[in-house]
Amino acid sequence: TPQKEALLDERLLATPAVAVQRAHEIASEMAADAAKAMHLAMGLTKKFETGIMEQVVELEDKTDRYEDALDTYLVKLSSQALSSDDSHVVSKILHAIGDFERLGDHAMNLLDSAKEKQAKGQQFSVDGAAQLAVLKEAINEILLLTCRAYQENDVELAAQVEPLEQVIDNLIRQARSSHLKRLNEGRCTIEMGFVLADVLNNYE
């Protein structure tokens, strides 16, 4: 398609090192777009705005198109004579783009949760909203770290991701436990409980 040609010119395949660099640039842009979609979608679960919703949909659509274009391009690139370094980069991109695309899917799931919350005209409890705010900050941080580590191939940055992921897992466990307590005490509705559970699943 014209979109694919604009993104990844097949004439570059004749110079594999240049083609690999271009693919890395597009994959890095895809990572940033997926992280931005998540950031915006998390905000929608607090305050719903149609304009922001449209941005999330556009970003998710873009990440899908980028994955498709990169996948096709990298398969062709793999058949070229690549240096071991370039071959490693191609392998890294192929592994990563599915994860970036999945981030876009989680953003769309959060968008659905935000729409459901908006349709019900209800809010999360004060406690629940406070826990989600802390989680949102932690997830934005882990997305930023992960994108930078990937884009810059920074191993030291990458090493900071897993400890933060464990912190996020603990925060989610606490949020689920607090929600159940509120439910048992009648301080939270079943309907908003379903929305909160969906949000926490996607945050995790």
Side-chain angles (χ1 to χ4, degrees):
T1 66
Q3 183 70 34
K4 281 188 192 180
E5 285 163 23
L7 273 179
L8 295 155
D9 192 328
E10 297 207 352
R11 288 171 297 185
L12 291 178
L13 294 170
T15 319
V18 176
V20 169
Q21 179 56 33
R22 179 65 181 147
H24 172 69
E25 287 166 7
I26 294 296
S28 294
E29 192 177 328
M30 184 184 174
D33 285 341
K36 185 177 179 185
M38 273 295 290
H39 169 71
L40 292 174
M42 286 190 294
L44 284 174
T45 62
K46 182 179 180 184
K47 184 186 176 194
F48 193 85
E49 293 180 48
T50 306
I52 301 293
M53 177 189 78
E54 288 167 357
Q55 282 186 58
V56 173
V57 172
E58 281 174 24
L59 286 164
E60 197 271 338
D61 181 58
K62 189 178 166 191
T63 58
D64 280 352
R65 285 188 283 109
Y66 274 30
E67 185 193 26
D68 184 39
L70 279 164
D71 199 47
T72 304
Y73 194 73
L74 292 170
V75 167
K76 290 177 181 172
L77 188 51
S78 296
S79 65
Q80 306 293 311
L82 298 175
S83 70
S84 63
D85 281 354
D86 284 343
S87 182
H88 178 72
V89 173
V90 167
S91 175
K92 175 181 143 179
I93 297 171
L94 277 168
H95 276 95
I97 57 176
D99 290 323
F100 299 150
E101 191 269 335
R102 205 151 45 241
L103 272 179
D105 290 343
H106 286 302
M108 289 301 288
N109 291 344
L110 286 170
L111 177 58
D112 288 340
S113 294
K115 285 199 283 195
E116 188 180 348
K117 177 173 171 272
Q118 174 77 355
K120 286 177 172 154
Q122 295 183 20
Q123 297 295 325
F124 294 124
S125 68
V126 174
D127 293 349
Q131 287 175 316
L132 287 178
V134 173
L135 271 163
K136 181 174 176 259
E137 290 305 311
I139 291 165
N140 278 327
E141 187 180 340
I142 204 172
L143 288 170
L144 190 67
L145 264 178
T146 304
C147 283
R148 276 192 55 211
Y150 178 83
Q151 291 161 347
E152 299 166 19
N153 212 38
D154 189 322
V155 179
E156 285 183 17
L157 268 183
Q160 296 175 38
V161 171
E162 190 176 358
L164 185 50
E165 193 266 345
Q166 289 170 2
V167 168
I168 290 168
D169 279 350
N170 287 333
L171 288 170
I172 286 167
R173 270 195 293 274
Q174 289 168 22
R176 284 182 176 140
S177 174
S178 298
H179 165 64
L180 286 173
K181 189 171 180 236
R182 286 193 303 274
L183 207 54
N184 289 333
E185 293 170 356
R187 293 190 292 122
C188 183
T189 67
I190 296 282
E191 291 83 359
M192 286 308 289
F194 285 133
V195 177
L196 181 64
D198 286 341
V199 169
L200 290 173
N201 285 341
N202 284 288
Y203 278 14
E204 189 174 22

mmCIF file of all heavy atoms in Angstrom, residues 135 138 162-172 174:
data_model
loop_
_atom_site.group_PDB
_atom_site.id
_atom_site.type_symbol
_atom_site.label_atom_id
_atom_site.label_comp_id
_atom_site.label_asym_id
_atom_site.label_seq_id
_atom_site.Cartn_x
_atom_site.Cartn_y
_atom_site.Cartn_z
ATOM 1 N N LEU A 135 -1.188 4.151 40.568
ATOM 2 C CA LEU A 135 -0.865 3.163 39.530
ATOM 3 C C LEU A 135 -0.579 3.840 38.192
ATOM 4 O O LEU A 135 0.356 3.448 37.478
ATOM 5 C CB LEU A 135 -2.025 2.173 39.369
ATOM 6 C CG LEU A 135 -1.956 0.945 40.268
ATOM 7 C CD1 LEU A 135 -3.312 0.254 40.353
ATOM 8 C CD2 LEU A 135 -0.886 -0.031 39.767
ATOM 9 N N ALA A 138 2.912 5.147 38.133
ATOM 10 C CA ALA A 138 3.891 4.057 38.032
ATOM 11 C C ALA A 138 3.917 3.474 36.618
ATOM 12 O O ALA A 138 4.982 3.152 36.082
ATOM 13 C CB ALA A 138 3.570 2.961 39.053
ATOM 14 N N GLU A 162 11.976 -4.371 35.426
ATOM 15 C CA GLU A 162 11.363 -5.479 36.181
ATOM 16 C C GLU A 162 11.069 -5.121 37.647
ATOM 17 O O GLU A 162 9.974 -5.432 38.136
ATOM 18 C CB GLU A 162 12.211 -6.747 36.097
ATOM 19 C CG GLU A 162 11.448 -7.937 36.664
ATOM 20 C CD GLU A 162 12.200 -9.253 36.532
ATOM 21 O OE1 GLU A 162 13.306 -9.271 35.969
ATOM 22 O OE2 GLU A 162 11.661 -10.261 37.005
ATOM 23 N N PRO A 163 11.983 -4.468 38.361
ATOM 24 C CA PRO A 163 11.640 -4.089 39.747
ATOM 25 C C PRO A 163 10.385 -3.207 39.822
ATOM 26 O O PRO A 163 9.564 -3.364 40.721
ATOM 27 C CB PRO A 163 12.880 -3.327 40.230
ATOM 28 C CG PRO A 163 13.986 -3.813 39.368
ATOM 29 C CD PRO A 163 13.374 -4.123 38.037
ATOM 30 N N LEU A 164 10.248 -2.295 38.855
ATOM 31 C CA LEU A 164 9.071 -1.421 38.832
ATOM 32 C C LEU A 164 7.813 -2.230 38.501
ATOM 33 O O LEU A 164 6.733 -1.973 39.044
ATOM 34 C CB LEU A 164 9.280 -0.283 37.823
ATOM 35 C CG LEU A 164 8.191 0.784 37.746
ATOM 36 C CD1 LEU A 164 7.825 1.341 39.117
ATOM 37 C CD2 LEU A 164 8.628 1.917 36.819
ATOM 38 N N GLU A 165 7.966 -3.217 37.642
ATOM 39 C CA GLU A 165 6.831 -4.094 37.311
ATOM 40 C C GLU A 165 6.346 -4.830 38.554
ATOM 41 O O GLU A 165 5.133 -5.004 38.757
ATOM 42 C CB GLU A 165 7.247 -5.086 36.218
ATOM 43 C CG GLU A 165 6.096 -5.839 35.579
ATOM 44 C CD GLU A 165 5.815 -7.192 36.205
ATOM 45 O OE1 GLU A 165 6.677 -7.690 36.956
ATOM 46 O OE2 GLU A 165 4.725 -7.763 35.956
ATOM 47 N N GLN A 166 7.277 -5.242 39.416
ATOM 48 C CA GLN A 166 6.896 -5.922 40.660
ATOM 49 C C GLN A 166 6.177 -4.974 41.613
ATOM 50 O O GLN A 166 5.218 -5.359 42.285
ATOM 51 C CB GLN A 166 8.147 -6.527 41.319
ATOM 52 C CG GLN A 166 8.688 -7.728 40.544
ATOM 53 C CD GLN A 166 10.049 -8.190 41.032
ATOM 54 O OE1 GLN A 166 10.593 -7.640 41.983
ATOM 55 N NE2 GLN A 166 10.603 -9.192 40.376
ATOM 56 N N VAL A 167 6.618 -3.719 41.648
ATOM 57 C CA VAL A 167 5.937 -2.697 42.460
ATOM 58 C C VAL A 167 4.499 -2.537 41.968
ATOM 59 O O VAL A 167 3.552 -2.485 42.756
ATOM 60 C CB VAL A 167 6.686 -1.337 42.389
ATOM 61 C CG1 VAL A 167 5.841 -0.210 42.975
ATOM 62 C CG2 VAL A 167 8.024 -1.428 43.116
ATOM 63 N N ILE A 168 4.328 -2.470 40.647
ATOM 64 C CA ILE A 168 2.997 -2.313 40.046
ATOM 65 C C ILE A 168 2.115 -3.519 40.377
ATOM 66 O O ILE A 168 0.940 -3.361 40.728
ATOM 67 C CB ILE A 168 3.106 -2.083 38.521
ATOM 68 C CG1 ILE A 168 3.697 -0.695 38.255
ATOM 69 C CG2 ILE A 168 1.745 -2.235 37.830
ATOM 70 C CD1 ILE A 168 4.134 -0.440 36.829
ATOM 71 N N ASP A 169 2.680 -4.713 40.294
ATOM 72 C CA ASP A 169 1.914 -5.923 40.668
ATOM 73 C C ASP A 169 1.413 -5.833 42.107
ATOM 74 O O ASP A 169 0.271 -6.176 42.401
ATOM 75 C CB ASP A 169 2.785 -7.179 40.512
ATOM 76 C CG ASP A 169 2.853 -7.668 39.072
ATOM 77 O OD1 ASP A 169 2.086 -7.156 38.232
ATOM 78 O OD2 ASP A 169 3.671 -8.565 38.790
ATOM 79 N N ASN A 170 2.279 -5.372 43.011
ATOM 80 C CA ASN A 170 1.885 -5.232 44.423
ATOM 81 C C ASN A 170 0.787 -4.183 44.604
ATOM 82 O O ASN A 170 -0.162 -4.390 45.362
ATOM 83 C CB ASN A 170 3.105 -4.858 45.289
ATOM 84 C CG ASN A 170 4.047 -6.031 45.484
ATOM 85 O OD1 ASN A 170 3.625 -7.182 45.430
ATOM 86 N ND2 ASN A 170 5.320 -5.751 45.684
ATOM 87 N N LEU A 171 0.917 -3.059 43.889
ATOM 88 C CA LEU A 171 -0.104 -2.005 43.962
ATOM 89 C C LEU A 171 -1.456 -2.523 43.458
ATOM 90 O O LEU A 171 -2.504 -2.190 44.016
ATOM 91 C CB LEU A 171 0.329 -0.789 43.131
ATOM 92 C CG LEU A 171 1.475 0.062 43.695
ATOM 93 C CD1 LEU A 171 1.955 1.063 42.649
ATOM 94 C CD2 LEU A 171 1.046 0.791 44.964
ATOM 95 N N ILE A 172 -1.412 -3.344 42.414
ATOM 96 C CA ILE A 172 -2.655 -3.895 41.859
ATOM 97 C C ILE A 172 -3.287 -4.879 42.834
ATOM 98 O O ILE A 172 -4.506 -4.869 43.048
ATOM 99 C CB ILE A 172 -2.392 -4.532 40.470
ATOM 100 C CG1 ILE A 172 -2.182 -3.412 39.444
ATOM 101 C CG2 ILE A 172 -3.551 -5.437 40.041
ATOM 102 C CD1 ILE A 172 -1.626 -3.846 38.120
ATOM 103 N N GLN A 174 -3.021 -4.774 46.075
ATOM 104 C CA GLN A 174 -3.605 -3.940 47.140
ATOM 105 C C GLN A 174 -4.925 -3.307 46.685
ATOM 106 O O GLN A 174 -5.892 -3.250 47.446
ATOM 107 C CB GLN A 174 -2.624 -2.835 47.538
ATOM 108 C CG GLN A 174 -1.407 -3.328 48.304
ATOM 109 C CD GLN A 174 -0.327 -2.258 48.423
ATOM 110 O OE1 GLN A 174 -0.600 -1.072 48.306
ATOM 111 N NE2 GLN A 174 0.920 -2.687 48.618
#
